[in-house]
Amino acid sequence: MYWSAFIVFLILFVLVTVLGFYAARWHHGDMDLIEEWGLAGRRFGTFVTWFLLGGDLYTAYTFIAVPALVYGAGAFGFFAVPYTIVVFPIMYIVMPRLWRVSKQRNYVTAADFVRGRFDSSLLALAVAVTGILATMPYIALQLTGIQAVLTAMGLSGHGLMKDLPLIIAFVILAAYTYTSGLRAPALTAILKDLLIYVTVIVACIAIPMQLGGYGHIFHVAAAALPAKKGSLILSPKLFSAFATLALGSAFALLLYPHAVTGSLGAKSGRTIQRNAALLPLYSLALTFIALLGYMAIAAGIHTTDTNLVVPLLFLKTLPTWFAGFAFGAIAIGALVPAAIMAIAAANLFTRNIYREYFAAKTGRNREAQVAKIVGMIVIIGALFFIVVIPLQYAIYFQTLGGIWILQTVPAIMFGLYTRWFHRWALLLGWLVGMVVGTGMAAAESFKTSLYPLHFGHSVILAYAGIWAIIANIVVTVVLSLIFNGMRVSNGQDDTAAEDYTTEPVEGAAAR
Amino acid sequence: MQIHSKTGWYWLFLLPFIGTLWPPLFASYRPTLAGFPFMYWYLILWIFLVAILSGIIYFIDTH
């Protein structure tokens, strides 16, 4: 048991709890409205949005899983770098349009937009269910980040005692998410990222100094990786897998409900665009976090539980109290996105399932009340997921989640630009994409998201999500041609062309 | 307020896609820089380039 590490960790955890509850008073708003609870009144400026989206997109799971992949596979794990580079141009172009139309029409979720645009509650349901299904295992995986640092600090019991620290952490999380809504992760994200940046800067200077510099670290990794069937430089047979995984992940990332919620919480489309230029700083941090995988190899860390690679490296190379500081950063890095994800899933459930199918005349107060309760249920559900079901299943589900989310690209992203696609074609295209993607992952026993497709004598190894979205788009285009040709009704568009380009006047007081 | 983005410039955003998603461009060890193999410092360089590119396009958009 590393007591000094644990005490620092505990102090940080108490601090974040206080901030989480205090957040309810921040930028005072009527918490009985879903737009206040679930989007913080769409009032966050560039600074807060930067932390919120950063806390959202770079999670504790990322900090644990990316170096773990690099530790085991080498260069392939660095697909995360192009992934988090190309995501920003997509964000710059697409997300402000979604923000503007949502502001004009009071949409809270991407499924709200799809419903208004295509006049199809069924297509909206497909988008909402996809979002919720993909988010649940993602929240569960955040827990593994906390679990990893607790295990490394020597905090391991048996039976209920083993899970008790996790249960306490998540009950506190559920409570302040209930009272503070999106304000809680926004405020705690600021603390989280300050801790993360300090950790990354210290680790990436201090550890290489001990290990003989980056050049030496790369040399040792290059020599050690072939034994693990990895390589320091990407091998040509992985080129297509590397590129498609990066591209598909980038498109999927922005359509995850928590990314949509984080974006819609901004106060203008321009705020999102400014962030597209400023967020790459996180990609830089992520690159150095990925390099921790090589540092672990050079430091002689040997473990079969690759989730422990980073915690063990910190304990071996940094002062114990500072390792505790870093562990606090990782744990808080799990709580921030978990809260945003729970809120996003709650918004989806309330707006696109509950209101649509169970209580059409729900008043706005009732809507917020339902969302708060669902948010709690989602967090408790994720906790249940991780305590009861083997971790491996959460990872499988998360892999599938990315493939699934990608299938909502035509309805949401294409829908922001054109209504040429037919609503029934979009729905059937989505269905084909879901089946193809899931089928390919199942064929690989869910162990990888890569699938080798045979074309005559050649084989192309690529991200299953990309194969699925190709099938999805082909079906959507062909059926749109047919349905539009047969003049099948495509419903009423609830949005107008100028909704996508109307920006609030800069500097105007927040609503 | 209606905004009029100069969307023609958005085509420049294709550059990071080509630059980072075409591994034959960067999957090599040499030349190294400060101990970093080419693949690694090349991708880090692109992080700065995409931030600068977004900043420039934002400037064009708003002026």
Side-chain angles (χ1 to χ4, degrees):
Chain A
M1 183 82 192
Y2 295 90
W3 281 104
S4 57
F6 185 65
I7 290 167
V8 176
F9 174 87
L10 213 55
I11 292 170
L12 291 174
F13 192 83
V14 169
L15 192 58
V16 82
T17 305
V18 172
L19 272 181
F21 283 108
Y22 169 76
R25 298 156 175 265
W26 185 44
H27 288 303
H28 189 76
D30 182 358
M31 292 300 237
D32 287 333
L33 297 177
I34 193 166
E35 287 195 84
E36 285 295 341
W37 182 80
L39 290 182
R42 304 180 209 259
R43 73 177 85 220
F44 289 141
T46 307
F47 180 77
V48 177
T49 303
W50 188 75
F51 283 108
L52 186 62
L53 281 174
D56 215 3
L57 308 183
Y58 302 86
T59 68
Y61 179 60
T62 320
F63 292 139
I64 296 291
V66 170
L69 183 60
V70 168
Y71 173 85
F76 186 74
F78 278 83
F79 86 90
V81 179
Y83 158 28
T84 55
I85 287 174
V86 299
V87 73
F88 296 116
I90 305 171
M91 178 175 169
Y92 187 100
I93 295 169
V94 174
M95 296 313 262
R97 279 180 82 85
L98 182 62
W99 186 90
R100 287 169 188 142
V101 70
S102 301
K103 167 82 174 173
Q104 290 299 312
R105 300 285 157 183
N106 293 319
Y107 299 147
V108 177
T109 67
D112 281 351
F113 160 70
V114 167
R115 190 184 192 312
R117 178 67 149 168
F118 293 102
D119 193 9
S120 169
S121 55
L122 212 54
L123 189 58
L125 179 67
V127 170
V129 168
T130 311
I132 293 170
L133 281 181
T135 303
M136 288 296 290
Y138 214 158
I139 300 174
L141 280 187
Q142 298 308 321
L143 284 154
T144 61
I146 303 181
Q147 235 167 6
V149 298
L150 289 176
T151 309
M153 283 188 294
L155 211 75
S156 54
H158 293 286
L160 183 66
M161 283 309 290
K162 173 169 162 283
D163 297 315
L164 196 61
L166 272 185
I167 293 171
I168 294 170
F170 259 52
V171 167
I172 292 172
L173 173 71
Y176 69 64
T177 304
Y178 181 91
T179 59
S180 310
L182 193 60
R183 285 170 174 78
L187 196 56
T188 50
I190 299 174
L191 173 69
K192 169 222 154 191
D193 286 333
L194 293 176
L195 301 179
I196 291 281
Y197 278 111
V198 170
T199 303
V200 172
I201 291 167
V202 170
C204 292
I205 294 173
I207 299 176
M209 274 169 63
Q210 279 184 42
L211 298 177
Y214 279 100
H216 180 69
I217 290 169
F218 280 114
H219 270 294
V220 176
L225 280 166
K228 306 175 183 227
K229 296 196 172 72
S231 62
L232 186 71
I233 302 300
L234 194 65
S235 94
K237 63 178 190 289
L238 286 173
F239 282 178
S240 55
F242 181 92
T244 52
L245 192 56
L247 182 68
S249 305
F251 274 96
L253 182 63
L254 291 172
L255 294 186
Y256 266 105
H258 55 277
V260 171
T261 298
S263 304
L264 295 188
K267 70 174 179 190
S268 66
R270 290 292 190 217
T271 305
I272 297 172
Q273 289 177 325
R274 277 193 287 273
N275 264 288
L278 297 172
L279 278 166
L281 188 57
Y282 281 93
S283 310
L284 190 63
L286 178 67
T287 308
F288 280 90
I289 289 166
L291 288 172
L292 293 174
Y294 290 155
M295 293 179 206
I297 294 176
I301 303 287
H302 292 285
T303 171
T304 47
D305 181 358
T306 53
N307 278 343
L308 292 178
V309 166
V310 169
L312 290 178
L313 174 69
F314 284 173
L315 281 173
K316 181 162 183 180
T317 55
L318 299 172
T320 314
W321 68 269
F322 189 79
F325 181 89
F327 294 165
I330 292 173
I332 299 169
L335 297 178
V336 171
I340 310 172
M341 287 168 192
I343 291 164
N347 289 346
L348 277 172
F349 179 84
T350 308
R351 300 279 293 196
N352 308 108
I353 297 177
Y354 179 76
R355 196 180 65 158
E356 188 78 45
Y357 294 97
F358 297 102
K361 293 192 187 73
T362 301
R364 297 186 61 165
N365 285 1
R366 182 106 183 91
E367 215 173 83
Q369 194 55 39
V370 171
K372 288 178 185 180
I373 294 169
V374 173
M376 287 231 284
I377 294 173
V378 166
I379 292 173
I380 305 293
L383 184 63
F384 183 77
F385 204 119
I386 213 77
V387 171
V388 176
I389 299 166
L391 174 64
Q392 201 53 44
Y393 289 99
I395 296 173
Y396 292 164
F397 266 113
Q398 206 268 342
T399 305
L400 275 176
I403 297 172
W404 290 344
I405 282 288
L406 201 52
Q407 307 315 313
T408 62
V409 164
I412 303 171
M413 282 199 189
F414 298 178
L416 284 169
Y417 290 88
T418 174
R419 219 172 163 275
W420 178 83
F421 297 101
H422 195 280
R423 52 183 177 175
W424 289 107
L426 286 166
L427 186 66
L428 290 167
W430 167 83
L431 189 64
V432 168
M434 294 290 279
V435 170
V436 169
T438 309
M440 285 179 170
E444 299 294 311
S445 311
F446 303 108
K447 285 190 174 57
T448 165
S449 55
L450 303 174
Y451 185 82
L453 200 63
H454 294 256
F455 294 95
H457 292 293
S458 58
V459 181
I460 299 178
L461 181 68
Y463 180 37
I466 291 286
W467 295 130
I469 189 72
I470 291 171
N472 179 341
I473 292 171
V474 168
V475 169
T476 305
V477 169
V478 170
L479 290 181
S480 291
L481 282 170
I482 295 172
F483 292 155
N484 288 336
M486 289 166 59
R487 304 198 180 283
V488 177
S489 168
N490 201 11
Q492 281 291 318
D493 187 356
D494 190 34
T495 69
E498 60 270 20
D499 290 346
Y500 297 88
T501 52
T502 303
E503 183 82 345
V505 179
E506 289 273 322
R511 228 169 14 95
Chain B
M1 185 182 74
Q2 283 295 304
I3 53 120
H4 301 282
S5 292
K6 291 161 188 143
T7 49
W9 292 93
Y10 288 8
W11 290 105
L12 285 177
F13 275 138
L14 279 178
L15 293 173
F17 284 81
I18 299 165
T20 65
L21 297 179
W22 192 250
L25 281 176
F26 54 81
S28 70
Y29 190 86
R30 282 174 208 289
T32 60
L33 181 72
F36 282 63
F38 179 68
M39 177 176 151
Y40 295 86
W41 67 259
Y42 173 88
L43 288 174
I44 292 172
L45 184 64
W46 263 110
I47 297 173
F48 290 96
L49 292 179
V50 80
I52 293 166
L53 180 64
S54 305
I56 291 172
I57 290 183
Y58 180 80
F59 185 82
I60 294 170
D61 256 350
T62 49
H63 285 82

